[in-house]
Amino acid sequence: MCRSIKTLRPPFTDEVTDDDVRAAALQYVRKISGFRAPAAHNAAAFDEAVAAITAASAALLASLEVRGARSA
């Protein structure tokens, strides 16, 4: 599922931007909802899901400890 979402942690990606995290969240919501873009009556729910998944993903990435990761 979501094969186009790239891994956003070291050592796979050295720098992750907020845009990278949001793009992954958007792709995920598109995949599970089955909509590339929601109808107007679903736009708020779609946008809220993207925001929630973006926040959860950012929190996850910030708290991961990758053992053996390269030092900056």
Side-chain angles (χ1 to χ4, degrees):
M1 185 168 135
C2 298
R3 295 175 201 262
S4 63
I5 297 175
K6 65 181 182 177
T7 302
L8 298 178
R9 67 161 182 85
F12 302 101
T13 304
D14 289 328
E15 292 186 32
V16 178
T17 66
D18 292 342
D19 288 341
D20 292 331
V21 177
R22 186 180 186 292
L26 178 59
Q27 183 65 26
Y28 178 76
V29 171
R30 286 176 174 167
K31 184 70 168 186
I32 64 167
S33 70
F35 297 112
R36 184 179 182 320
H41 63 277
N42 289 325
F46 194 90
D47 292 342
E48 288 171 17
V50 172
I53 294 168
T54 299
S57 299
L60 171 66
L61 292 170
S63 65
L64 288 177
E65 178 184 327
V66 180
R67 295 189 177 176
R70 295 175 281 177
S71 300

